[in-house]
Amino acid sequence: MCGIVGYIGSRDAWPIVLKGLKRLEYRGYDSAGIAVMDSFSQKIYKKAGKVNVLEDFAKELDCSGNVGMGHTRWATHGHPSDRNSHPHSSNSGNLSIIHNGIIENYATLKEELLNRGHQFASETDTEVLIHLIEEIQSIEGTDLLESIRLALNEVVGAYAIVVMDKNQPDRLYVARKGSPLVIGVGNGEHFVASDATPIIEYTKNVIYLNDNEIAVINKDELLIKRLDNVIQTPTIQELNMKLEMLEKGGYEHFMLKEIFEQPRSIRDCMRGRIYPELGKVQLGGIKEFANKLKNIDRIIIVACGTSWHAGLVGEYLIEDYARIPVEVEYASEFRYRNPIITEKDVVIAISQSGETADTMAAIEMAKDKGATIFGICNVAGASIPRISDAGVYTHAGPEIGVASTKAFTAQVTVLTLIAFYMAQQRGTLGTAELTELLTALDEIPDKVSLALESNELIKYIATEIKDATNCLFLGRGCGFPVALEGALKLKEISYIHAEGYPAAEIKHGPIALIDEQMPVIFIATKNSSYEKVISNIQEVKARKGIVIAIVTKGDRKVKDMVDYVIEIPDANETFLPLLATIPLQLLSYHIAVMRGCNVDQPRNLAKSVTVE
């Protein structure tokens, strides 16, 4: 979950690495550190806190050098502190390392190294790895590349690493397993990063390092080997990303920018995939499996967090339209069960980053059991798309805010398209009905724009409930996953305890919590469960709860019985999640801002969960 940046070339490394860390701070912001090296020395500066703390600390220090590596940390082993910050050095101080991931057998390795006289300066698993590399180099007499390879064959866990040797000021060593790492190829220079965001400013040519690969890099060339010592021929890919997508564009926070980008991101997700006038959906990423989809027994959706909520929406839509049984599983639980999976199952893995560790482990297990794997991902070249049999990119563009917004609606859009595509292949939807649905779907981006026009009203409602300590979100049908997602957004950025429930379930426990201090947000649009939701609203009002309702534009019935209403455009209830989610995102955002929370970088969280 940590962020890694490296540079080797003819430029001054410090500003490149520092700017890269700022771009990657969404991956972790407990501490930051940079090592720079020239022909004469290696300098390491690191501080607990965000990247700007490191920047201020090093302003008057010597940061010169044409080789550098930096790290922004999400703490696992050892609390956030200066000494636990990366980079970490070997026993002699000649080698240094930055690391994203977890070395699971670090305690055993550390005990062995302590017995051999090693002394450790931190509590981290990372420091153990660099000590191990140096120990192997000393005992075996091998060069550094071979010593790293031998050491990585001894460790258990996940890693993306960059290693520096002060005696080799013209190269960097990098390796990965289970944690992302990309190499940027420039003119007489190379870049290394956890993802492409720090690289795009300098080059569009990248190499995605594969699991169990090591590379030695100098400014003009690189060599890649597998852990079994076989040399690899790298494939250079071109990035499809614009630099301005990584900037705030005049918005106060990335999260707000990304909320307002959703008309565009949903449109981009559908572009070239729907043909309303023909009543046709075209998904090139899964086209070769069209015949298989006619005969599958079941779909299993695996995901975590917001992506899991999108999967629940997918369950409703796929079962409704394609008439295929769907199960939605937390990847973190699924991987530790012994599920019954066959060759007639399709597993759909959903991950914004495409690097979520639990989701990757789940699909690898499912693949071993013979299932076909479809990936839904936002990041081209990420691990999940590469290990999936097929899949669909969401094309949402970079999402910098830690709390997912446009990623969620893009995932729901893709799942909607998959539901319609499967129904098309299986003949459960006729052309006329599909034409009607696709025509309505094509109008959704414009309706999202209309939903965003409630921003000022939502800001006012936020002032009224910002001091609440608890909150309930309730919905039925597709409104239930929307309620879950609304609750998650509020709790993760404002730190207010919030829970999402099926509306009818409040009678089975949560209603005991309701009093005049409790805000209750209902998804109460006009759909097949409208009258039932109204009954649930009355139950809450009878107990003096503060009710905020998301309603269909023009609704008077609900408005007359609740405290606040937020209107969204009328639409087929199939598309409810794409519209009702918008005001909940804005409500959470404004509450968090009013409470003085760091909206883009909420405490204890990171964007890409690449560790268990």
Side-chain angles (χ1 to χ4, degrees), residues 416-450:
T416 304
L417 296 178
I418 288 175
F420 291 165
Y421 183 78
M422 290 181 175
Q424 178 180 277
Q425 300 306 312
R426 294 168 67 89
T428 54
L429 262 183
T431 302
E433 189 177 359
L434 193 50
T435 296
E436 183 179 341
L437 286 166
L438 293 178
T439 300
L441 179 58
D442 197 38
E443 296 170 353
I444 290 298
D446 292 336
K447 291 185 176 183
V448 169
S449 295
L450 292 173

Side-chain angles (χ1 to χ4, degrees), residues 474-479 503 522-538 549-562 565 567 570 573 576:
L474 303 173
R476 286 176 178 256
C478 280
F522 275 92
I523 315 304
T525 52
K526 288 185 177 177
N527 55 42
S528 57
S529 58
Y530 178 68
E531 295 297 336
K532 297 292 185 182
V533 171
I534 286 177
S535 296
N536 299 137
I537 290 173
Q538 291 169 330
I550 311 299
V551 303
T552 304
K553 186 174 178 62
D555 184 295
R556 300 298 309 179
K557 192 171 183 178
V558 172
K559 186 175 183 179
D560 291 339
M561 65 177 68
V562 302
V565 296
E567 294 184 336
D570 191 13
E573 66 180 288
L576 166 68

Side-chain angles (χ1 to χ4, degrees), residues 154-209:
E154 287 192 30
V155 303
V156 177
Y159 54 80
I161 61 170
V162 183
V163 175
M164 239 184 214
D165 182 353
K166 65 170 58 175
N167 296 315
Q168 298 183 67
D170 61 344
R171 63 195 60 196
L172 293 172
Y173 295 84
V174 304
R176 73 154 282 180
K177 179 184 178 182
S179 293
L181 207 60
V182 58
I183 300 170
V185 181
N187 184 15
E189 59 187 358
H190 284 98
F191 307 83
V192 180
S194 296
D195 64 40
T197 55
I199 293 174
I200 188 64
E201 185 171 347
Y202 309 100
T203 180
K204 288 197 169 188
N205 297 320
V206 298
I207 296 166
Y208 292 98
L209 208 63

Side-chain angles (χ1 to χ4, degrees), residues 328-342:
V328 184
E329 299 272 1
Y330 283 113
S332 53
E333 291 296 317
F334 184 75
R335 61 178 294 194
Y336 289 112
R337 289 179 22 221
N338 185 22
I340 300 168
I341 302 172
T342 74

